[in-house]
Amino acid sequence: MTMPVVLPAERAVPAAPSVLSRVLAHRGLTLGLVMVGGVVLIALLAPLLAPYDPYDQDLTRRLIPPVWHDKGSWLNPLGTDNLGRDYLSRVLYGARISLLIGASVMVISGAIGATLGLVAGYFGGRVDMVASLIITTRLAMPVVLVALAVVATIGGSLTIVILTLGFLKWDRFAVVMRSATQQVRSLDYVTAAEAAGASRLRVLVGEILPNVVPHLIVVATVEAGSAILLEAALSFLGLGVQPPLPSWGLMIAEAKTFMFFSFWLIAIPGAALALLVLGINLVGDGLRDVFAPDGRS
Amino acid sequence: MKHVAMTLAAAAALAATPALADKKDGTVRFAYDQVLENIDPFFNNVRLGVMMTQHVWDTLIYRDPVTNEYKPYLATAWKWLDDRTLELELRQGIKFHNGEEFDADDVVYTLNYVSDPANKATAQQNISWIEKAEKVEKFKVRIRARRNFPAAIEYLASAIPIHPNEYYAKAGPKGMNEKPVGSGPFKVTEHVVGKIIRLERNADYWKGSPKSVPNVARVEIRMIPDRQTQVAEMLSGGLDLIMNVPVEQAQQLKAAPHLSVTSGGTMRIVFVLFNAGENAPNPALKDVRVRRAIAHAIDKETMAKQLVGEGVRVINSICFPAQFGCTDEGVPRYAYDPAKAKALLAEAGFANGIDLEFFGYRERQQTEAMVNYLRAVGVRANLKFMQYAAMRDQHRGNKVPASHQTWGSFNIMDTSASTSAYFKGIDDDMIKDPEIVALLQKGDTTVDPAVRKDAYKKALTLISERAYAVPLYALTTYYVLNKDLDFKAHADEMPRFWEMKWK
């Protein structure tokens, strides 16, 4: 993972118009934004787009193949699953769950990680020592294993998955924010603010935070993508989101039984998941190029 | 369909070599999806355990799977001395796998050990009727029942195998699990709990036994919880027999040139069980209207036809129709009627629906179909899917509000083995309705068949009236097998490896 942890001292945040033009000039970023934007639109408009209720089962119409198959029809463009639920509707609604998880985990872990990183980077000394200890402890724990253990003990549900991942995935935020803050805190404008008698909180929130936000955004996108994948993995193992919620990971898990004979059941949510995570990663990479091109390796 | 054909062709090519090698050494490789916690027949209540009982051990009496006639087995003759005392003459010259000789001491020790509640046998309903066993002579024993127990012969023929007393006294259920010793047609050569059981033909098995000396030299039983892995192994020739295959997969696997598919009805009844006891984990279920609403919400006819397959039998009471005392005559029925279900919920004060933890352990597709039916009427079911032993322990620990249960009655053809197992105030009965307990007690312990039938009928009617459970159907099981394997499906859901041979 190449993460920009060093903020070049001489570079301030670029002015707004040049950011927009740089975003548009960056093909990967534009493509990523289109992909993520598309999924966001699908999630928002799912009730309008979906031909059926994603939970409605019709046991007399099970395992109908998608429209391009000899036996498919436009009645169910992506076919039906093993309980006769419309697959297109489930995939569309599944976007909501993935995005909800991605966004919520990003916010929770971002809040924890960014606070810890800011405080450690700004105050240094003993505070930094304690914070670094916490970060190292967290880094020593394998996320998937701990998440599995927690979810297996408490039981899986959407809320528990979000909270578990949120409280586990803040490490990268903390590491990046800590080093970025360390760079910024010795800059002249921070010293000036301190000399002018600004409170510590004001310096942290008013002077330092705005200047490290670009890093935060880059980490946040990458973490959102990874949270979505983790949810899919947990659900696949039967420990994440519980049926009948249309989570893509869960759909892949349930389709596993039909892998040999109805491969589309596994391929369709798999492709949706891959597209969304690819889109998010393209956005993350692109934003890094735009905000901190010198940190590129 | 091209893809399927290609997959199958590839699989067939792979299969050719291993299948040939196996026929030579006579191993039948079988997989089962439920894990067996303890191979000792008294310390588990799962189907694989029932299979092991018949393969590794012998019972005192034998019931013919076709005619249902009782035949001499370890006991050569038996008679009731009075309503509660059964005297049995024992067969001479039988040896256990470890060389121990079979006699009255083995019967006495086994029955007295497992029927002592202090020893905590898992399937109490199979043995709690035994008060004690006494040796009369070296080859003659008497079994005394706690109360009249007319179904005793049926139990002795199905679920009560005999252990070698000297070995069992030393090893106990734990040692028996690690190194099982019986007198049956197969010896266990290896048992890794939760993984594999290897059986080897007992070449010294007595010739006149109603079970034959096995044709195949070895059987390998692997516990593979993942259905897809089983299917992949069948396609690639790594397994010779699997069972409980979902109907649509069985039909698709038929297309593979080296496989064949057969199906058979079973005694296994499927039902939703509620915990409506005093300390019910979900208090909403204490209201009979909520339970009735759930009964109205599930379309069992469609589930049976679409998810179970041919030969399925819809049931309307909590027992298998061919069991003695089982009836659905006059038992209230709940037709599929989502509107009525919603109305009942609203009447009970749950117009906005209820949240419900719903447990399941096999045929997940059926559990999920039920979850969706419940959701449609406003019961937000949260699925908890696990291994049977885990679910059973949580159920007995009063933590399961509602569950998708299946019960094979240990192949015992008597209602005391089905309805009573769940509603007689023992083990799995979390409701303990005194009226029903009394009726089942009467049914289980009265000698007069007419009185028994009447008691069971009343109990079944009350269970249904109070909607303590929702009877669904008796399962059909689909077997997928190597087409060179000579295999006959019996109605009791038990593959008999001693009958099988390679064509």
Side-chain angles (χ1 to χ4, degrees), chain A residues 179-248:
Chain A
S179 31
T181 310
Q182 280 172 342
Q183 300 276 320
V184 173
R185 65 175 280 220
S186 51
L187 294 184
D188 291 347
Y189 59 86
V190 176
T191 323
E194 281 170 345
S199 70
R200 278 176 175 170
L201 187 67
R202 172 143 189 192
V203 173
L204 264 176
V205 179
E207 304 294 335
I208 294 181
L209 190 58
N211 289 292
V212 292
V213 155
H215 296 261
L216 192 62
I217 294 173
V218 174
V219 181
T221 49
V222 176
E223 287 301 290
S226 125
I228 290 169
L229 275 182
L230 255 177
E231 178 273 323
L234 285 177
S235 299
F236 179 81
L237 294 171
L239 291 167
V241 173
Q242 293 300 310
L245 278 183
S247 141
W248 290 342

Side-chain angles (χ1 to χ4, degrees), chain B residues 269-321:
Chain B
I269 57 169
V270 181
F271 56 100
V272 176
L273 182 66
F274 297 121
N275 184 338
E278 209 157 302
N279 303 313
N282 188 334
L285 287 178
K286 285 204 228 172
D287 191 323
V288 67
R289 289 168 297 190
V290 173
R291 304 195 298 268
R292 285 181 181 156
I294 292 176
H296 279 300
I298 298 171
D299 184 357
K300 62 181 175 186
E301 308 271 349
T302 305
M303 280 183 70
K305 207 164 130 208
Q306 301 296 335
L307 299 179
V308 184
E310 295 157 35
V312 61
R313 183 168 186 174
V314 168
I315 57 169
N316 298 299
S317 51
I318 302 295
C319 50
F320 181 68

Side-chain angles (χ1 to χ4, degrees), chain A residues 113-151:
Chain A
T115 313
L116 199 66
L118 268 177
V119 169
Y122 178 67
F123 291 103
R126 284 197 186 164
V127 177
D128 186 30
M129 233 171 67
V130 174
S132 299
L133 180 74
I134 298 175
I135 296 172
T136 324
T137 314
R138 161 56 203 84
L139 281 172
M141 299 192 290
V143 176
V144 179
L145 205 64
V146 176
L148 272 177
V150 171
V151 178

Side-chain angles (χ1 to χ4, degrees), chain A residues 55 57 59-60 62-63 69 71 82-83 85 155-156 242-244 254 256-263, chain B residues 1 4 7 226 228 231-232 248-249 252 302-303 306-307 364-365 368-369 371-373 375 382-383:
Chain A
Y55 300 101
Q57 74 178 1
L59 296 182
T60 57
R62 305 170 56 220
L63 297 170
H69 193 282
K71 290 179 190 158
N82 60 327
L83 296 173
R85 295 174 292 198
Q242 293 300 310
E254 295 187 344
K256 191 173 55 120
T257 328
F258 303 93
M259 195 163 64
F260 285 121
F261 303 107
S262 314
F263 67 95
Chain B
M1 248 20 232
V4 175
T7 315
D226 184 44
Q228 202 50 35
V231 169
E248 64 276 348
Q249 286 191 41
Q252 286 160 329
T302 305
M303 280 183 70
Q306 301 296 335
L307 299 179
R364 181 177 173 124
Q365 187 160 283
E368 285 196 27
V371 165
N372 281 316
Y373 278 128
R375 202 183 173 282
N382 180 14
L383 174 62

Side-chain angles (χ1 to χ4, degrees), chain B residues 383-440:
Chain B
L383 174 62
K384 304 260 173 197
F385 201 82
M386 51 193 71
Q387 280 283 328
Y388 178 68
M391 179 174 101
R392 182 195 62 214
D393 293 348
Q394 291 211 35
H395 176 73
R396 292 182 179 182
N398 201 34
K399 287 186 192 124
V400 176
S403 46
H404 164 197
Q405 298 274 357
T406 81
W407 186 244
S409 298
F410 288 92
N411 294 344
I412 295 168
M413 278 293 175
D414 194 275
T415 300
S416 62
S418 52
T419 318
S420 300
Y422 285 91
F423 294 100
K424 206 177 68 169
I426 50 165
D427 298 345
D428 289 299
D429 184 8
M430 305 312 294
I431 299 172
K432 300 190 170 58
D433 183 317
E435 262 181 280
I436 294 171
V437 170
L439 282 167
L440 290 174

Side-chain angles (χ1 to χ4, degrees), chain B residues 68-323:
Chain B
N68 280 335
E69 241 179 296
Y70 297 117
K71 291 183 174 167
Y73 199 12
L74 284 181
T76 51
W78 56 90
K79 61 171 186 276
W80 287 98
L81 298 183
D82 58 54
D83 280 350
R84 286 167 58 195
T85 315
L86 183 69
E87 190 175 84
L88 303 105
E89 306 272 351
L90 302 180
R91 190 176 298 278
Q92 304 188 17
I94 304 285
K95 280 206 161 56
F96 286 98
H97 300 152
N98 64 350
E100 235 183 281
E101 193 197 359
F102 166 76
D103 59 22
D105 290 329
D106 301 302
V107 180
V108 170
Y109 185 84
T110 306
L111 298 188
N112 287 340
Y113 180 86
V114 298
S115 63
D116 180 354
N119 292 322
K120 295 200 168 74
T122 307
Q124 284 294 328
Q125 78 269 14
N126 288 347
I127 31 119
S128 60
W129 59 276
I130 299 172
E131 185 182 293
K132 62 171 191 268
E134 291 167 327
K135 179 177 178 177
V136 182
E137 287 164 24
K138 188 163 194 262
F139 290 101
K140 190 186 270 185
V141 289
R142 279 184 196 153
I143 302 173
R144 184 144 174 89
R146 280 183 216 275
R147 296 187 196 85
N148 292 344
F149 193 65
I153 306 288
E154 177 64 23
Y155 280 73
L156 290 175
S158 306
I160 307 184
I162 301 302
H163 285 321
N165 68 320
E166 283 158 48
Y167 180 71
Y168 202 44
K170 212 167 55 203
K174 191 167 172 282
M176 198 48 112
N177 186 35
E178 283 154 14
K179 216 182 162 319
V181 175
S183 59
F186 284 94
K187 300 176 188 180
V188 177
T189 52
E190 188 189 356
H191 178 212
V192 184
V193 177
K195 287 213 165 67
I196 196 164
I197 302 170
R198 283 183 210 278
L199 304 179
E200 191 184 274
R201 168 169 57 200
N202 177 6
D204 304 326
Y205 194 57
W206 51 291
K207 300 290 179 283
S209 165
K211 296 174 195 168
S212 52
V213 178
N215 295 302
V216 293
R218 272 173 292 275
V219 178
E220 188 183 286
I221 300 167
R222 282 158 65 199
M223 287 162 243
I224 305 180
D226 184 44
R227 172 69 52 201
Q228 202 50 35
T229 311
Q230 290 187 9
V231 169
E233 291 253 16
M234 279 310 294
L235 283 171
S236 65
L239 283 172
D240 302 310
L241 176 69
I242 55 175
M243 63 188 286
N244 303 336
V245 182
V247 52
E248 64 276 348
Q249 286 191 41
Q251 278 158 0
Q252 286 160 329
L253 283 167
K254 250 187 216 169
H258 66 295
L259 299 180
S260 72
V261 171
T262 173
S263 68
T266 72
M267 280 183 69
R268 182 167 296 273
I269 57 169
V270 181
F271 56 100
V272 176
L273 182 66
F274 297 121
N275 184 338
E278 209 157 302
N279 303 313
N282 188 334
L285 287 178
K286 285 204 228 172
D287 191 323
V288 67
R289 289 168 297 190
V290 173
R291 304 195 298 268
R292 285 181 181 156
I294 292 176
H296 279 300
I298 298 171
D299 184 357
K300 62 181 175 186
E301 308 271 349
T302 305
M303 280 183 70
K305 207 164 130 208
Q306 301 296 335
L307 299 179
V308 184
E310 295 157 35
V312 61
R313 183 168 186 174
V314 168
I315 57 169
N316 298 299
S317 51
I318 302 295
C319 50
F320 181 68
Q323 285 178 320

